[in-house]
Amino acid sequence: MLKLTRQIEEAIRKAGADAYPNECCGILFGKEDGDDHVVTSLRAIENARESGEQYHRFLITAEDMMQAELEARKLGLEIVGFYHSHPDHPARPSDYDREHALPFYSYIILRVAEGKSEQMTSWRLQLSRDAFDSESFVVEP
Amino acid sequence: MSVTILIPTALRSFVDRKSEVEVEGGTVSEALASLATQYPDLKHQIYEDDVKLRGFVNVFVEGTNIKKLNGLETALAEGATVMLVPAIAGGC
């Protein structure tokens, strides 16, 4: 299960709407709690894909990830996952998502339709890498 | 040459949940080989074969991507910090 606050959910929804018609992306910081991931903060990342591809692709560079890893360690937190938006597409992982994902992490996907944020889902890649499992999430005040 | 390898969260389950591991190695290649020997389950996760790292694996030495240094043959000083960093991408 993924746990996040209302403030974090709203920040992801705003990022998705602001980036439309392109994809937004960012990193989820938090803690493991058994099998659960508890998100305590996030870092919005500038989509590093070429501008002409950002409507259906996102990229977080190795340099951005390295900085985020260092920041998480300094704060005593962990990178527990990522979020990105699917402009005018369903909030479920694509084959491209699966090919580029890693097990362990939570992957939040936000559907943004005509500029408005809609369904938000979370997913975890199976160890076999064959498919994602839907991950339930709760939003706490 | 003793160096420290920082492990990203996604790979910690393969190294007994450790966030960092000390290994011996005079180059990045040697240090990663030492890590893979200590944790064989990790080897399959980060290597395509015996020598080539998987595409999503990036390696930083003291904060610099080894692609800007000497790649896997980048020399390591005593006490150096090596980071494994996954590349993250996706889309609809």
Side-chain angles (χ1 to χ4, degrees):
Chain A
M1 178 183 286
L2 179 69
K3 299 175 181 174
L4 62 163
T5 64
R6 179 71 59 199
Q7 186 178 18
I8 288 170
E9 183 203 8
E10 288 174 356
I12 294 171
R13 289 187 178 282
K14 183 175 188 308
D18 288 350
Y20 185 88
N22 292 329
E23 293 198 7
C24 71
C25 58
I27 298 172
L28 307 173
F29 293 106
K31 287 280 191 186
E32 289 182 78
D33 180 13
D35 290 336
D36 296 343
H37 288 162
V38 181
V39 181
T40 57
S41 60
L42 56 78
R43 176 192 270 197
I45 299 291
E46 188 172 340
N47 187 347
R49 283 301 300 252
E50 311 89 303
S51 57
E53 293 292 320
Q54 291 182 7
Y55 73 96
H56 72 151
R57 295 285 184 261
F58 81 91
L59 171 67
I60 298 175
T61 65
E63 283 69 21
D64 280 338
M65 275 297 293
M66 188 268 295
Q67 293 296 338
E69 283 278 356
L70 291 176
E71 183 180 334
R73 286 168 186 268
K74 194 182 295 182
L75 296 171
L77 299 173
E78 296 168 356
I79 292 176
V80 295
F82 305 93
Y83 68 88
H84 74 283
S85 58
H86 279 186
D88 298 320
H89 279 76
R92 61 171 181 263
S94 63
D95 286 342
Y96 190 85
D97 282 327
R98 184 179 54 77
E99 289 161 7
H100 292 79
L102 288 169
F104 171 80
Y105 292 126
S106 294
Y107 287 86
I108 290 178
I109 299 177
L110 172 70
R111 169 176 162 82
V112 180
E114 297 180 349
K116 292 181 180 175
S117 76
E118 294 190 347
Q119 186 185 21
M120 183 183 289
T121 57
S122 184
W123 307 81
R124 290 206 203 184
L125 187 67
Q126 295 174 358
L127 274 177
S128 66
R129 305 186 54 85
D130 289 338
F132 278 96
D133 290 322
S134 175
E135 178 181 39
S136 61
F137 70 90
V138 293
V139 177
E140 297 166 339
Chain B
M1 206 76 72
S2 180
V3 302
T4 301
I5 300 183
L6 304 186
I7 310 293
T9 43
L11 297 178
R12 289 179 195 167
S13 62
F14 304 103
V15 295
D16 297 336
R17 308 302 307 164
K18 293 177 181 172
S19 63
E20 55 186 66
V21 177
E22 287 208 6
V23 300
E24 296 292 322
T27 64
V28 170
S29 178
E30 291 173 5
L32 294 182
S34 174
L35 180 70
T37 300
Q38 280 188 53
Y39 299 98
D41 289 346
L42 179 68
K43 183 175 182 179
H44 173 68
Q45 296 295 324
I46 64 173
Y47 283 97
E48 272 186 23
D49 50 38
D50 281 345
V51 292
K52 190 177 180 192
L53 290 175
R54 291 188 182 278
F56 73 85
V57 178
N58 293 276
V59 184
F60 287 74
V61 173
E62 306 298 359
T64 300
N65 195 323
I66 62 169
K67 290 175 183 170
K68 296 176 182 172
L69 301 172
N70 198 21
L72 288 170
E73 296 314 307
T74 299
L76 299 175
E78 176 71 25
T81 299
V82 178
M83 283 185 76
L84 294 179
V85 178
I88 302 297
C92 53

